[in-house]
Amino acid sequence: MRNINADLRVIRTKESIRHALVELINEKGFEAIKVKDITTRAKINRGTFYAHYQDKLDLINKCEEEIMLDMSKITKKNFPSVIAALETDTQTLTPFSLTVSLFEYLHINSGFMKAVLGPKGDLSFQTRLKEFMWETLYGNYQSSFIKEENFLVPGQYLASYMGTAIIGVIQQWLESGGKESPQEMARILTTITVNGPYFAAGLKK
């Protein structure tokens, strides 16, 4: 029982710290935040903070790594269905189960994602997220539908275009208050990504 209670206290403490971090990023920006600001907002002492994190950079890095690890797990679970859909329907408008699951996860973590991807957040996270998305969604899979030998353009440009475009869609959704459902956002992103922006704009049938 003691271990369970201790674990619950750790979980609650980390949640309080993360919540404080998000609030402070929105208020003053990540660069201006001090550890003292976080401990004061989370109503904990500095010793408690340092029991879990080295400094504010360690805190935000661990939060971001947790997000990317969870997204990686979602991708690995749903990726086979994406390949099957692309092999049978090259102009699909039906959102992939993977994309729906990812937007559902982003919706749950929308407060943190909006803060770190916003202008006051961690600018390096966008670069890390783009690299993660390419490696997780399109690389490191022997059965991946997208194979480097089939590329019509250099891989680094394709990766940059897709990563920037997808993150841009996510940022727009978060900044506008997440009005569309995860299912609708998955449909939007699938239409643009699979069929291309000209198709999405009604210029190509």
Side-chain angles (χ1 to χ4, degrees):
M1 182 64 69
R2 287 183 178 179
N3 288 337
I4 293 176
N5 290 334
D7 290 343
L8 289 175
R9 281 197 298 271
V10 169
I11 291 172
R12 285 196 293 268
T13 297
K14 288 187 174 182
E15 287 178 347
S16 296
I17 292 172
R18 177 166 161 166
H19 185 68
L21 175 66
V22 170
E23 287 186 346
L24 289 165
I25 288 175
N26 290 329
E27 289 176 16
K28 60 196 303 183
F30 179 70
E31 292 300 323
I33 296 174
K34 307 294 184 184
V35 170
K36 183 179 180 180
D37 298 326
I38 298 172
T39 57
T40 299
R41 184 64 59 92
K43 297 180 180 179
I44 60 173
N45 58 50
R46 291 172 68 88
T48 300
F49 177 89
Y50 287 117
H52 302 290
Y53 308 103
Q54 297 177 11
D55 50 32
K56 71 171 188 177
L57 287 174
D58 184 47
L59 164 60
I60 199 167
N61 284 337
K62 285 182 177 176
C63 289
E64 291 168 353
E65 287 168 2
E66 181 182 332
I67 289 288
M68 290 190 288
L69 178 60
D70 287 344
M71 291 175 68
S72 178
K73 290 177 180 178
I74 293 171
T75 300
K76 290 177 181 177
K77 179 180 178 181
N78 292 277
F79 198 77
S81 65
V82 175
I83 297 174
L86 287 171
E87 288 177 338
T88 57
D89 186 0
T90 57
Q91 278 201 327
T92 181
L93 297 179
T94 304
F96 301 136
S97 60
L98 166 60
T99 317
V100 175
S101 296
L102 285 173
F103 271 105
E104 288 174 342
Y105 179 77
L106 292 171
H107 177 70
I108 294 171
N109 294 277
S110 59
F112 177 79
M113 293 300 292
K114 181 179 178 181
V116 295
L117 287 175
K120 296 181 180 180
D122 178 15
L123 298 181
S124 68
F125 184 48
Q126 292 189 33
T127 300
R128 294 174 60 202
L129 189 58
K130 281 198 295 185
E131 293 173 352
F132 156 80
M133 289 169 63
W134 179 257
E135 290 298 323
T136 303
L137 299 179
Y138 304 108
N140 295 328
Y141 288 92
Q142 292 183 352
S143 58
S144 175
F145 184 82
I146 300 178
K147 300 182 184 299
E148 189 171 0
E149 60 267 25
N150 295 330
F151 288 177
L152 302 180
V153 297
Q156 67 269 28
Y157 293 109
L158 180 61
S160 180
Y161 174 83
M162 295 186 71
T164 301
I166 293 172
I167 291 176
V169 170
I170 292 172
Q171 286 176 310
Q172 178 62 38
W173 179 56
L174 294 173
E175 287 297 326
S176 63
K179 297 176 183 178
E180 295 87 357
S181 68
Q183 290 75 18
E184 175 62 11
M185 286 308 304
R187 186 196 67 79
I188 291 170
L189 187 59
T190 297
T191 300
I192 298 172
T193 303
V194 176
N195 301 297
Y198 288 116
F199 178 91
L203 299 175
K204 181 180 179 181
K205 303 298 182 182

